[in-house]
Amino acid sequence: MIQSITAIPAFQDNYIWALSDEKGSACVVDPGDAKPVIDYLETNGLTLQALLITHHHPDHTGGIAQLSEKYACEVIGPNNPAITGITKAVSEGDSFELLGQHFDVLEVPGHTLDHVAYATPASAETGAPPRVFSGDTLFAAGCGRIFEGTPAQMFASLQKLVALGPETEVYCTHEYTQANLQFADACEPGSVLVGLRKSLVEQQRATGLITLPTTIATELASNPFLRCNNPMIVNAAERFSGSKPADSIATFAAIRAWKDEF
Ligand code: ZN
Ligand code: FE
């Protein structure tokens, strides 16, 4: 069973999540760089069993070749031939066991078309909450840029993550929370919940602390991209686009476009 989950910092603002069990086996999610992963494994005396890949971008896949060569580990990822080194391609509805833990695969296109997330259910035995490794789909107080999919696809993908339940812990790949909350504040000026979260995150970042994981409940309260049926967010979409959005997807599309140039 999973005993610890640690964020290994990489590049400017990436986190490579390392999961380990009581026997010293580990897997990592989205190793964009091999070096910090190798350092972490060696410092903690862990054996790498698998890599979990969410999508094809280099900051999530760059370490695959070196790690899989050094550790002969399994490489689990989306069914996209553009990603070199996948040994087990997964798609919607697939599940697998790793480190004594059950993982479910969710397809969450939008940021890229191949994007998947990995969810683990709550455990009555250990008291662990449900968790999801969301890559560049759902961020703390934000969401990934839409590079390959449509706003409707990204909206549906985010709703699929929301459906995992409010208590679900969200482990995304980037430390973007502070900038995301600046934007959330612009979308919902005067929101007490956004304001409180913004000052908490400012304190965390001022002392170099990570702002993750977040939870679906926290995101529902202050992430504009999950609040597209809220009148304040509808107003924000209208302010940006100049016309009243027809539905929640249009609201989502408008605020996503605003965030792109914020
Ligand atoms: Zn990406
Ligand atoms: Fe990324």
Side-chain angles (χ1 to χ4, degrees), residues 216-240:
I216 294 293
T218 298
E219 297 314 311
L220 284 170
S222 50
N223 184 329
F225 298 100
L226 301 189
R227 296 169 59 73
C228 292
N229 55 1
N230 181 284
M232 295 286 282
I233 303 299
V234 176
N235 285 342
E238 187 174 354
R239 279 203 305 283
F240 175 74

Side-chain angles (χ1 to χ4, degrees), residues 14 55 57 59-60 111 136 139 173-174 176:
N14 282 63
H55 67 291
H57 284 159
D59 64 309
H60 301 247
H111 175 69
D136 288 354
F139 289 131
T173 314
H174 291 275
Y176 290 159

